[in-house]
Amino acid sequence: MQACDTKHPPGTIVITAASLARYAEFWLSVEAVKTPPGSQIVACRGADIPFQLNEGVRHMTGAWAWSLGDGHTFTPDTLLKLLAREVDFVLPVVPRRDPPFWPVLMHGPLGAKMRRYTWKELPTSGLFKIPVGDSAGQAGALVKKHVLDTLGDPWFEGGKLTPGRLMEDKYFVHRLHQLGVTMYVDCEVVMPHIANIAITPQQHEGRWYAGHIMPGGYPMLWDEPEDVGKWGQHLKGSGIQVIVGCARR
């Protein structure tokens, strides 16, 4: 972690899984991240993710908390770019780690049968305001301390939406909607999700795709069978070309 920015107040990076993180790529990203001086990392172990997140927030210091799951990679300037937006809540563009690799955004109403966003629905620049009633994951979310103080402990609770499933992130966003907090996705910052390989949001011909950076440095655009099957029903009539394993140099 490199303390190198004095434009923003210090805060806390909250990491779930602590030293039990699954991927070396994640820790390499953490080691290289640039932060305002005085920032700290809180990495908590525990029985489940809500417990770990809550413990991290309880021990936070500074003006903001940036929550990270251990299944992501990110560039060193990711945190500073999010801080530069100077909003109460902002997420990078994050793909799901399961196919189809669409954004970690869900259409309401909140519940077990929420509909996934497709890449076509997400702008390729600027800030995208998460509509009231829609939800998102929390990995990579930058939240200001005064918002967390207003929400109150516990911040993350599992099992509130669907029995047997945590969905603590979606419930967290739901509660913020209830408080009237405006939440954004920064469409100019991406956070890859590690599946078998790191799935990285890619832009091509004015829209988003899930993808991967090849060893030669060029992007590979991905589409899974679900895009033309079950989940592909959302694409009918949209004019979207399905690209399967097509390298774009």
Side-chain angles (χ1 to χ4, degrees):
M1 194 168 78
Q2 306 175 48
C4 60
D5 176 71
T6 59
K7 297 178 183 178
H8 304 287
T12 302
I13 299 174
V14 177
I15 297 175
T16 61
S19 61
L20 302 179
R22 296 165 290 175
Y23 303 104
E25 299 97 318
F26 169 75
W27 283 114
L28 292 173
S29 296
V30 171
E31 289 179 355
V33 70
K34 297 178 181 179
T35 69
S39 298
Q40 68 162 348
I41 291 176
V42 175
C44 293
R45 300 175 183 172
D48 55 35
I49 291 175
F51 175 86
Q52 295 169 21
L53 289 169
N54 286 324
E55 279 294 286
V57 175
R58 289 179 189 124
H59 292 86
M60 72 173 287
T61 60
W64 47 265
W66 189 38
S67 61
L68 296 175
D70 67 342
H72 297 275
T73 62
F74 44 91
T75 58
D77 60 353
T78 295
L79 173 59
L80 298 186
K81 287 181 176 179
L82 295 176
L83 285 169
R85 292 298 190 179
E86 297 185 343
V87 294
D88 288 338
F89 179 108
V90 62
L91 283 164
V93 178
V94 182
R96 297 176 66 91
R97 68 181 177 191
D98 59 322
F101 302 108
W102 286 348
V104 289
L105 295 165
M106 303 293 287
H107 287 290
L110 193 67
K113 297 183 179 180
M114 292 180 290
R115 181 171 63 86
R116 300 182 184 186
Y117 273 67
T118 68
W119 285 115
K120 184 183 177 184
E121 296 176 83
L122 197 62
T124 55
S125 63
L127 291 176
F128 171 73
K129 181 179 176 181
I130 300 175
V132 175
D134 289 0
S135 195
Q138 104 287 330
L142 179 70
V143 188
K144 295 294 181 66
K145 183 178 184 298
H146 71 88
V147 173
L148 295 169
D149 289 343
T150 302
L151 191 63
D153 190 350
W155 298 271
F156 298 91
E157 299 178 78
K160 292 291 186 177
L161 301 180
T162 304
R165 296 185 63 188
L166 288 176
M167 298 181 74
E168 79 292 334
D169 45 6
K170 296 172 181 60
Y171 188 62
F172 175 68
V173 170
H174 171 67
R175 293 178 63 202
L176 293 181
H177 278 311
Q178 291 180 322
L179 288 178
V181 176
T182 302
M183 291 172 276
Y184 297 97
V185 176
D186 189 335
C187 296
E188 297 170 17
V189 179
V190 303
M191 179 174 283
H193 211 151
I194 303 172
N196 292 332
I197 57 177
I199 300 299
T200 304
Q202 305 287 339
Q203 292 185 24
H204 175 64
E205 294 182 351
R207 61 152 290 194
W208 289 99
Y209 288 87
H212 177 66
I213 303 299
M214 299 297 286
Y218 61 88
M220 176 80 78
L221 304 183
W222 281 67
D223 274 297
E224 293 287 330
E226 285 82 353
D227 280 347
V228 293
K230 176 182 176 183
W231 295 105
Q233 297 300 313
H234 299 301
L235 302 181
K236 284 187 176 180
S238 66
I240 296 176
Q241 177 187 5
V242 178
I243 300 176
V244 182
C246 182
R248 301 291 181 180
R249 295 180 182 270

